[in-house]
Amino acid sequence: MAVYTDISEDDLRQFLGPYEVGELTSYKGIAEGVENSNFLLHTTTGAYILTLYEKRVDAGDLPFFLGLMQHLADRGLTCPLPLARADGALLGTLSGRPAAMITFLEGMWLRKPEAAHCREVGRALAEMHVAGEGFALSRKNALSVSGWRPLWDKAKGRADEVQPGVAAEIAAELDHLEAEWPRDLPAGVIHADLFPDNVFFLGEHLSGLIDFYFACNDLLAYDVSICLNAWCFEKDGAFNMTKGMALLAGYQSVRALTAGEIAALPLLARGSALRFFLTRLYDWLTTPAGALVVKKDPLEYLRKLQFHRSVHSALEYGLTISEPDA
């Protein structure tokens, strides 16, 4: 979440007219994240999230994102729901941007997740993968292996500004991953961005998943590798095997990984680390001064990528073979 586009109170009140949400009482921008402009609204009927979809989001993808949230919720996954206007539409226009009103989930994201939280995240990710089966729409993952080189081409000329030698290292890594990337693993709808700030907890209980604006169709185990990167490293860069074991056990309590997925997990983790290095690098180099968005350090993901190169087996992430719960 972030704020790239400002909105006036008068324009906001006019925008809210077709929604049955009561009268506006307050609103404020949410500065976390990198993709869209988001605001927390309070009205006489409750709290809501207003999202303005920025130019980086293809308007043609919005039916997929909004429809997916409805599909998942219908199958029991706790996630935000888009609100319909009086005419039935899920989208309006505000400050020249497509905009949607989304239900507000109670809870907060964790700054210091523990192993028990990682297990809950693994279980919720698997539940999402299962719930996503049968969703009628599809969306290609533009930030999977086929999309990395075009993104790298936009940033490689300045890559050594963040650390000398990065350009050569990433060029070699990209060559390797393009040659070795698996093509025949189980696939379906993935979240693709399930970081701690996209998971809400109430105490120890996971209360919901949010921010589905990178969701797409891709390898399910790739989504698992994204979570290993996002949840199982400490601030000093060390991988926490206890957290990795918990996350993978939580996932497998719902959906057992196949032998092929297990064998591919170290390579997939390298790929997901590269993906977030590349997007962070691009944003680090191009985000305009003054934007209300927190730029994230790309070198954090370079260090994770370097760790995954040393991993030879998913057992080194704490994987244990288990069967789904009855």
Side-chain angles (χ1 to χ4, degrees):
M1 297 180 180
V3 176
Y4 296 96
T5 300
D6 200 7
I7 57 177
S8 72
E9 183 173 344
D10 288 344
D11 287 345
L12 177 56
R13 289 185 184 278
Q14 183 175 359
F15 172 81
L16 293 178
Y19 293 92
E20 295 183 359
V21 295
E23 295 296 320
L24 179 69
T25 58
S26 68
Y27 72 100
K28 64 177 181 179
I30 302 171
E32 294 167 325
V34 297
E35 193 68 12
N36 302 308
S37 294
N38 290 272
F39 299 84
L40 173 61
L41 275 59
H42 286 91
T43 76
T44 51
T45 63
Y48 303 91
I49 299 295
L50 166 67
T51 298
L52 276 65
Y53 300 100
E54 298 294 341
K55 294 178 180 179
R56 187 162 151 176
V57 176
D58 185 343
D61 287 333
L62 295 179
F64 176 90
F65 299 141
L66 300 177
L68 177 61
M69 286 188 274
Q70 291 180 315
H71 177 90
L72 295 175
D74 287 345
R75 283 152 182 78
L77 193 81
T78 305
C79 63
L81 278 172
L83 300 182
R85 294 156 48 96
D87 60 3
L90 299 178
L91 281 170
T93 302
L94 180 59
S95 297
R97 300 283 189 266
M101 289 283 287
I102 309 292
T103 56
F104 178 80
L105 288 184
E106 292 291 343
M108 60 185 297
W109 70 272
L110 302 173
R111 269 66 175 179
K112 296 181 179 180
E114 302 296 337
H117 303 120
C118 293
R119 183 179 178 90
E120 287 289 296
V121 168
R123 177 181 286 275
L125 181 68
E127 289 173 345
M128 186 206 136
H129 289 168
V130 173
E133 295 175 2
F135 182 50
L137 302 180
S138 65
R139 177 178 180 264
K140 180 181 177 182
N141 186 1
L143 291 172
S144 191
V145 60
S146 63
W148 296 338
R149 189 169 293 277
L151 186 58
W152 174 237
D153 287 343
K154 295 177 183 178
K156 64 183 180 182
R158 297 178 59 195
D160 282 354
E161 293 179 21
V162 298
Q163 181 173 289
V166 164
E169 181 177 0
I170 296 303
E173 182 69 21
L174 185 55
D175 287 344
H176 175 78
L177 290 174
E178 287 177 337
E180 300 297 329
W181 198 250
R183 312 287 177 180
D184 57 353
L185 299 179
V189 176
I190 70 170
H191 186 284
D193 193 39
L194 201 61
F195 278 64
D197 57 353
N198 288 331
V199 181
F200 281 1
F201 283 84
L202 288 169
E204 295 296 311
H205 175 67
L206 192 154
S207 60
L209 309 182
I210 68 168
D211 201 349
F212 287 83
Y213 300 114
F214 284 103
C216 55
N217 295 83
D218 207 336
L219 305 179
L220 301 180
Y222 178 64
D223 221 11
V224 176
S225 79
I226 290 172
C227 286
L228 285 173
N229 276 314
W231 288 86
C232 301
F233 284 84
E234 300 301 323
K235 294 294 185 184
D236 64 0
F239 181 79
N240 186 317
M241 186 179 288
T242 301
K243 291 182 179 179
M245 182 182 299
L247 190 146
L248 292 169
Y251 187 89
Q252 293 214 111
S253 72
V254 175
R255 176 187 173 268
L257 294 166
T258 68
E261 289 175 312
I262 291 170
L265 197 55
L267 184 72
L268 295 172
R270 285 172 67 171
S272 59
L274 178 65
R275 172 262 188 265
F276 286 99
F277 170 81
L278 290 174
T279 50
R280 286 185 176 198
L281 176 67
Y282 180 81
D283 289 340
W284 188 271
L285 296 173
T286 62
T287 298
L292 292 178
V293 58
V294 179
K295 294 197 297 184
K296 297 177 180 178
D297 181 10
L299 294 180
E300 175 188 350
Y301 270 80
L302 177 63
R303 292 186 288 270
K304 292 178 181 181
L305 171 56
Q306 292 165 342
F307 166 79
H308 294 303
R309 285 201 201 107
S310 71
V311 175
H312 299 98
S313 164
L315 298 178
E316 296 174 58
Y317 297 127
L319 179 75
T320 56
I321 306 301
S322 62
E323 297 295 330
D325 288 347

